[in-house]
Structure formats: C-alpha cells, structure tokens
Amino acid sequence: MLKNDRSGLDYYALVKKAKRLIPGHGEKLKLALLADVSTQHLLPLLRVLFAEAGIDAEIYEGGYDTIQLEAYNPASGLYSFQPQIVVILQSLMKLKGQFYDFPEDRGNFSRIQADSIEKLWKAIQSRSPASIIQSTFVIPCERPFGNFGQKVTDHLQDAVRELNRELCLRGRLQPGVFIDDIDHIAAWVGRRHFLDERLWGLAKTLCALEFLPDVAQSLVDIALASIGRAVKCVVLDLDNTLWGGVVGDDGLEGIGLGDLDEGGAFRSFQQYLRELSRRGIMLAVCSKNNETLARQVFQEHSGMVLKEEHIAVFVANWDDKATNIRRIRETLNIGFDSMVFLDDNPFERNLVRQLIPQIIVPELPEEPALYVRFLSELNLFETASHSSLDSQRNILYQEQQKRAAESGKFGDLNEYLQSLDTEAAFKPFEPANLSRIAQLIQRSNQFNLTTRRYAESECGAIMNDAENFFPFTIALRDRVGDFGLINIVILRLRRPDGALEIDTFLMSCRVLQRGVEEYAMNKIFEYARHCRYERVVGRYIPTAKNVMVKDFFQRFGFVCVEDSGAAGSEWSLRVDDYVARKVFIREQPLHPPVPVPAAVAEE
Amino acid sequence: MTKTDIQRQLTTVFRDVFDDPRLELNDSTTAQDVENWDSITHVDLIGAVEKSFGIRFTVKDIRGLTNVGDFIRLIASLVK
C-alpha cells in the first residue's frame, strides 16, 4: 500500500534509492519472478519498495521468457531457490504474437491460453508450497473493427478481455493463486501511456519505465497481504470527514449530508466505508464531540449511510486523538500498523503521525468528493483472503463489549467464566476449514509461539500427512455469541528423538483469559498420552509482536532446554509430569459439526 | 538551444542517471568511458533525456547513437 500518495513512485528516484539500499533489514521474504518480459528494470524497484515496507526481499530472477522451463523442470533454479511467492508476469506484446499466429479457430484462443496458465499454476503448486501471483494482460488499444468490435469476437481486444476473465474465474477456484490486475493499473494511468511499443522493441519491458513502480508496488501489496500484513481497522473523524460542517455548531439538521453538493460527496464516502465494513475492515469513530450528539447523527439523520452497527468502537470526547486511538487499539487488540486514521484536519493528522508513527495517516485531499478516489489509489485494503462472514466482524466485537460489561458484575473470575457457559469444538483439520485456518495463520501475531505462516496449500499438505502431523482446531461459542474457529495447534512427530513437537500454537486474541489455551494444552497431552509419546517439546520464537507468550511454556511446567535469545528458546515436558488444567469449557459433541464463522481483527 | 546549453543539460541528466556528480562529457564520450553505462542503464538514460528535454526519440534514432556528440546533434534536431 502507499502510505500517502503516488509521489513515492518516481522511477528514477527509486532506482537511485535501490543503489543505496542496505540489505538485511526486516522480515525475510523469498520471491521468484518469472516473466516473458525483461525484468531488469523492475528488480531494483521491487527491492526498494519491499524494503520500504520493512521486508528484506531475496529475489530470484528467472531468465527472460523461461516461465515454462522453470515451472515444468523439477530441478530448475526456481525450486532449488524455495520461494515463498512466485510471480508470473506476462505481457500483452507476447500474447499478441501468439494470437496473430494462432493456427486454430480464434474462438478457442482465450480458453487454450487460460488452460495453459492454469496448468502452469498446478505444476508449480505440485512442486512448491509457494503462493502464486499471476498478472492480467493489458487490454490492447488496437481495434480493427472500431466500436463494432463489441459485437464480434474475432479480434485481439475481445480475446484479451476474455482471457483476463478466465484467469480471474480460475484463480477463484485455486487457493494460493492471487491475481495482480495489471490491466487495472494500465487503465488507471491510461493504457496509451502505460504501453510503450518503442521500449518493447528496444528492451522488452512490460510498460513505460514511468509506470514500472506502480507494477512493482502492486506486487509488493499482494505479497504483503499474503504474509498477513493487512489493514484491519479504519479510524474515522466525524465533522467534515463523514459529513459537512460541525454538528455541535450547525445542529443535526444543519450538517451537509444528502444528495446535493458536498452532502453527496460525504454520502458516497460513507458508502465506500460501508463496503469496507462489509468486506471485514472494522470501522471506529474517534471524534472531538459530545458523544450523545455524535451518536444522534448516526441514529436519526436520514442521510447517514453508516449506522451505529457498522462502528466497532465509538469514541467521542474531548481528549486528544492520539490518546483515543490508543484506547481504540487496546480494545480491538490490533497493531497500530494495521490501522488507518482518516481526518480532514491537518493538525490532527500531524499530531497522530507524530505520537503514533506506525499508524497510517493518509493526507486526505481538501475536496471530499475526491476522498474515495484518493484512498482507492493508495490501495490500502489489499487482502489475501475473504470469507463470506467477514462482514460480521463488528457484531462479534460488539458481543465482546457486552461480555466486558458483564465481567464487571462478577467478583470472581471463575464464577464469571462459568456464567458464560462456554462450549468448545475440538477437531482435526478439515478441508472445509482450510481457508479459515490459513487466514488465522496469516493474521495471528500476538498469541503465536512460532509465527510460521503456512499458506492454504501447505495447511492442506499437513492435514493429509497423518504420519508426521496431528493438526487440530478449536472453535468456541458462549451464551453471548459465537467466536468461530479461534485456536490452531499443529503437532508434529520429531523424527530424531521421537518427541511430540508443538510446531504451531496460535490463538485469536479475542478469547484471551477464557481458559482456551489450558483446554488446548490438555488436549495436546491427552493426545500425547494416547499415542504413548514420552515427551512434548515446543519452541518460542520471539517476534516484534508476540512477547505476550514469552512465558507460555513455563506456565505449563515446561523446562527450558535451550535459550538462543532472539533465535528462540526450546522447552520440554515429560508427558507423565503434566498436570491437567481446570477449565470452564464444555466439549461439544463432534456431530453435528459447528458452523465456522468469520475471523475478527487481530487474532 | 545552443550546443553548450544542450551539453550542460545533458551532463546533468547523465550525472543523475549514473549517480556520479563529477561525470564530464565531451563529443567523443562513449559507453565504454562511463561506468555502468550498459544496456539497462541505456534505457534509463533515454527515458531521462526524453523527459528532461521534452522530446521523443525513434527506435532508429536510438540505435544510431555511437557517442555523446551524436546524442547532442540528435537532441538539437528535436528541440524547438
């Protein structure tokens, strides 16, 4: 994503930065770039833009036009590189040649091309657990039929349109394949500027140099989302951000919100925000206002698209905004770097930027009619997964607030936990849950002992490898609501010494202090005892975000057998020495299976 | 634009692209004389010169260049 505007995407400035880049900082990421265009100009841009996002990218550059050779040869450099992400970048210019030389009925061209690309994905996925990013093709400018081309199919433009559509449809059915819509970039900047036929002749570049940074940025955006870096919450100011004017001065009827002038701009902006909410981004309000009056606008103003139910946290008071945003962050339990703050007032934006440097604060344009366009251009909301229940996230959160309110009524924690009437569903990995499992693995940062980011395809492989793995999930619900699947444990048989290793243990932060981790640990040792393991071992690998679980193993009586500091510590416990923990969670019978609802924010 | 003007402006572009603030050009300068002037940076250079002078070269123009003198003559023929 762009944190501010496109000014960071100047080709020459980035090339210069690339020369001064000092590698070795940030999270490591191995990306392989396969292309039927020359990638030499793209490579330095990718390095810099990854570095700016805090990623130390190691990039494997396949030879010019060797996509098939790399993919179909199991001994190719691609596979020995062991990439986490494989980019397949294909150009209109190459496709054009294939189209005009196509010997068969052109009506079959798109389908045959799509078949061959899909085969390529499958070949890569059969040999590598990497995620794949596939480019779309730029719709060509040439129109031998003029506008009549819309009515006939025997021409390049129609073939490319159909091919792009085919790639999207097939990509939907193929987990682990992401589509980078290069044609969207080209259309946005203008296809006649994007395509540079002279440069194709000279150097076989994908597009004009000027727009290569946009291409690189979109690849970076998708790669980041695929490793779990994503915006989870948008924090909104109210006066002059969601509506025109100041409700405290202008009154409920006096604010600009409706069909006309500014009012219309604010309405479209709210529609856009409601779409974000549907898509699973949480909305929070942070406003210097009288809370009753501010809420009244949401409840009573007929022009409001956003209602209170769309807002996960509503903060309206006279404290400074940085303090309020910290409160919002605490309640939602997410990182500042996954929050975007939108405010029309430059003073507030600068204050928040200065006090909370990690938060994303776009420099909103002065004209509210341009808010949506501006935010779309930054591509802040890239994601690597979507479940149809993402839109319920705000409801889940509101339930959480209700629980918090109730916990105040009980003196004793156990008494409170009992009153919640919690039920757990313990299950091995199932095909139907894989996308949710992969999503949770990508998103969990805090309650995550090893932060191993398995892609959906890898989760599937683990599920099917019963000789080496026992992976399970826990879903939870209580009197107030349904949390869905919130805990993932992957147990692995450690070959050298036959110990049972906790490869992965992670949990959604929404269910802290409910006894879920105790319940899960009891399950681990039940399993270990059942299979006659002698010892359970586990690692804690520290990251910037998981200090919460530093003492996790100690809590359960594990003994530290090795402490390599930043590289992590290893813990071990004899199965016979484990004392089962008391929990206030009832086990749900396995049938009928519980439906698995959506994710929530930071998990 | 005089030849001197073009040479001065072209020098600025070269210095920027090759990231060398002390780089000097004369008519007989060729790719061999400039560190990092290879096929990749050549494309960067063409783009930067076009942008700086507000002109567009043809592929044939670009292929015909042998030294900086050619470059300056070509630019002179295209700038108003």
Side-chain angles (χ1 to χ4, degrees):
Chain A
M1 72 190 82
L2 293 173
K3 288 203 170 175
N4 214 322
D5 54 38
R6 279 190 76 256
S7 65
L9 292 184
D10 180 80
Y11 175 77
Y12 289 98
L14 288 171
V15 168
K16 222 178 240 180
K17 273 191 193 169
K19 289 183 188 149
R20 290 164 179 61
L21 194 66
I22 304 159
H25 295 280
E27 190 180 335
K28 298 245 179 300
L29 180 78
K30 292 176 88 172
L31 178 139
L33 185 54
L34 307 183
D36 64 9
V37 296
S38 109
T39 48
Q40 291 134 321
H41 293 88
L42 187 62
L43 216 61
L45 308 177
L46 281 172
R47 290 217 170 86
V48 175
L49 293 171
F50 269 121
E52 287 182 350
I55 299 282
D56 182 26
E58 191 186 337
I59 302 176
Y60 172 83
E61 195 184 11
Y64 170 70
D65 205 6
T66 58
I67 302 176
Q68 278 77 10
L69 290 175
E70 293 274 5
Y72 289 115
N73 176 5
S76 70
L78 169 68
Y79 299 116
S80 56
F81 175 69
Q82 298 189 310
Q84 291 158 270
I85 293 171
V86 178
V87 174
I88 304 175
L89 192 59
Q90 292 180 283
S91 68
L92 168 67
M93 300 306 270
K94 269 275 150 60
L95 187 77
K96 191 167 161 172
Q98 288 160 355
F99 179 79
Y100 289 133
D101 292 339
F102 194 62
E104 300 161 45
D105 178 2
R106 281 181 178 179
N108 297 325
F109 179 79
S110 305
R111 194 181 40 77
I112 288 169
Q113 286 293 329
D115 283 348
S116 104
I117 291 172
E118 192 182 357
K119 234 178 95 194
L120 200 65
W121 299 344
K122 290 187 170 151
I124 294 172
Q125 288 189 329
S126 71
R127 296 176 181 126
S128 158
S131 303
I132 295 173
I133 302 178
Q134 169 72 48
S135 66
T136 60
F137 295 85
V138 177
I139 311 281
C141 303
E142 61 206 65
R143 299 199 302 167
F145 287 90
N147 285 300
F148 196 76
Q150 299 293 336
K151 288 167 70 91
V152 292
T153 54
D154 181 28
H155 59 100
L156 182 64
Q157 216 180 41
D158 190 65
V160 176
R161 279 212 184 91
E162 206 181 306
L163 175 54
N164 282 347
R165 182 73 189 153
E166 279 289 321
L167 289 178
C168 293
L169 293 176
R170 291 164 195 232
R172 284 176 199 172
L173 301 175
Q174 194 76 21
V177 173
F178 302 100
I179 304 288
D180 186 357
D181 194 2
I182 301 292
D183 183 57
H184 167 77
I185 300 173
W188 183 278
V189 302
R191 293 185 182 110
R192 71 201 173 102
H193 302 295
F194 185 84
L195 294 171
D196 188 334
E197 292 83 356
R198 290 178 320 151
L199 216 51
W200 174 255
L202 272 175
K204 300 281 182 276
T205 60
L206 178 73
C207 62
L209 293 180
E210 191 184 347
F211 302 116
L212 275 175
D214 296 84
V215 172
Q217 184 67 52
S218 73
L219 291 170
V220 170
D221 287 349
I222 297 173
L224 287 178
S226 81
I227 59 167
R229 303 263 197 108
V231 167
K232 294 167 179 168
C233 172
V234 176
V235 180
L236 298 158
D237 170 51
L238 296 180
D239 292 326
N240 284 315
T241 301
L242 283 198
W243 54 71
V246 176
V247 67
D249 297 338
D250 305 328
L252 188 61
E253 298 312 317
I255 58 173
L257 190 62
D259 296 326
L260 281 173
D261 297 335
E262 269 210 342
F266 287 110
R267 255 184 89 84
S268 346
F269 183 47
Q270 289 199 17
Q271 278 159 350
Y272 174 72
L273 293 167
R274 190 176 58 183
E275 284 305 297
L276 290 180
S277 162
R278 275 176 63 90
R279 120 98 172 76
I281 303 275
M282 290 191 293
L283 304 180
V285 163
C286 173
S287 164
K288 285 187 176 162
N289 242 316
N290 172 303
E291 183 174 345
T292 314
L293 186 58
R295 282 187 183 271
Q296 204 186 352
V297 181
F298 283 77
Q299 291 155 356
E300 292 173 20
H301 198 292
S302 61
M304 283 295 285
V305 176
L306 291 177
K307 308 284 178 202
E308 278 178 302
E309 73 204 49
H310 297 114
I311 308 296
V313 194
F314 200 112
V315 181
N317 56 36
W318 304 99
D319 295 342
D320 77 273
K321 295 217 168 179
T323 306
N324 281 334
I325 290 173
R326 288 204 181 90
R327 283 181 188 138
I328 294 170
R329 191 206 72 84
E330 262 167 46
T331 334
L332 297 177
N333 226 329
I334 57 180
F336 283 125
D337 55 2
S338 64
M339 298 171 82
V340 171
F341 173 59
L342 300 180
D343 196 314
D344 68 295
N345 185 334
F347 168 83
E348 300 290 5
R349 292 198 297 257
N350 285 330
L351 176 106
V352 169
R353 261 188 216 122
Q354 242 165 46
L355 295 177
I356 312 175
Q358 309 94 308
I359 195 170
I360 302 157
V361 186
E363 198 62 23
L364 277 185
E366 216 170 297
E367 169 59 63
L370 300 178
Y371 284 177
V372 175
R373 162 203 286 248
F374 175 78
L375 292 173
S376 302
E377 194 165 12
L378 300 184
N379 195 26
L380 293 168
F381 306 108
E382 194 69 59
T383 180
S385 61
H386 178 65
S387 98
S388 55
L389 292 145
D390 277 356
S391 57
Q392 294 181 12
R393 208 160 278 171
N394 283 330
I395 299 172
L396 285 163
Y397 182 70
Q398 283 156 6
E399 287 169 356
Q400 184 83 325
Q401 275 184 318
K402 199 168 156 197
R403 286 187 193 96
E406 285 195 3
S407 75
K409 292 189 224 155
F410 293 90
D412 172 41
L413 177 69
N414 287 348
E415 196 185 325
Y416 169 63
L417 288 179
Q418 266 171 327
S419 80
L420 283 176
D421 206 6
T422 311
E423 254 188 9
F426 164 88
K427 274 187 196 179
F429 278 19
E430 285 179 355
N433 286 342
L434 279 182
S435 77
R436 168 63 183 145
I437 288 168
Q439 187 184 44
L440 197 55
I441 284 179
Q442 299 310 323
R443 297 175 75 112
S444 300
N445 295 316
Q446 300 181 81
F447 205 110
N448 193 339
L449 286 157
T450 51
T451 321
R452 292 181 175 132
R453 307 287 197 198
Y454 297 117
E456 190 168 334
S457 52
E458 294 172 283
C459 296
I462 288 171
M463 174 179 74
N464 293 325
D465 183 359
E467 269 188 33
N468 290 295
F469 291 99
F470 180 67
F472 67 81
T473 60
I474 293 172
L476 207 69
R477 67 178 177 208
D478 66 17
R479 196 162 44 77
V480 185
D482 198 335
F483 289 100
L485 201 160
I486 40 73
N487 175 269
I488 293 175
V489 177
I490 299 176
L491 301 175
R492 171 205 286 269
L493 163 60
R494 195 161 78 177
R495 285 291 172 189
D497 60 355
L500 182 65
E501 182 184 356
I502 302 175
D503 174 273
T504 294
F505 188 118
L506 61 87
M507 200 172 82
S508 159
C509 283
R510 289 178 296 132
V511 293
L512 287 178
Q513 290 165 355
R514 303 274 311 244
V516 178
E517 57 268 46
E518 283 82 4
Y519 175 79
M521 193 58 88
N522 287 349
K523 284 287 169 195
I524 291 173
F525 278 89
E526 265 173 42
Y527 173 79
R529 204 161 282 147
H530 178 76
C531 300
R532 295 170 202 276
Y533 280 99
E534 233 174 77
R535 277 185 318 123
V536 174
V537 296
R539 276 195 92 73
Y540 164 66
I541 304 175
T543 68
K545 290 183 174 167
N546 73 350
V547 64
M548 173 192 280
V549 288
K550 191 164 69 74
D551 301 322
F552 178 78
F553 285 114
Q554 200 173 12
R555 253 173 67 196
F556 286 100
F558 283 67
V559 178
C560 183
V561 289
E562 180 212 317
D563 191 348
S564 327
S569 49
E570 187 168 322
W571 300 77
S572 171
L573 179 61
R574 278 168 42 85
V575 174
D576 289 341
D577 291 346
Y578 178 72
V579 185
R581 299 304 197 256
K582 182 167 176 53
V583 292
F584 298 96
I585 296 177
R586 264 181 308 118
E587 189 155 329
Q588 222 172 60
L590 274 175
H591 298 285
V594 257
V596 179
V600 164
E602 160 73 299
E603 314 228 23
Chain B
M1 253 182 135
T2 68
K3 197 197 156 208
T4 325
D5 291 338
I6 293 176
Q7 179 155 348
R8 194 177 302 121
Q9 193 171 329
L10 191 61
T11 305
T12 312
V13 176
F14 266 73
R15 287 177 176 176
D16 205 40
V17 169
F18 296 106
D19 208 11
D20 177 358
R22 284 183 304 271
L23 192 116
E24 292 295 341
L25 299 177
N26 57 57
D27 281 2
S28 60
T29 306
T30 67
Q32 270 83 54
D33 306 318
V34 178
E35 201 187 339
N36 294 327
W37 190 350
D38 54 27
S39 60
I40 299 167
T41 46
H42 189 60
V43 173
D44 289 351
L45 181 65
I46 296 293
V49 171
E50 286 187 336
K51 199 170 154 192
S52 170
F53 287 90
I55 52 177
R56 296 288 260 178
F57 300 123
T58 65
V59 174
K60 200 171 153 194
D61 286 342
I62 298 164
R63 291 288 184 216
L65 296 173
T66 56
N67 57 29
V68 167
D70 289 344
F71 224 145
I72 293 172
R73 272 188 295 280
L74 177 61
I75 294 166
S77 73
L78 293 169
V79 288
K80 304 266 154 27

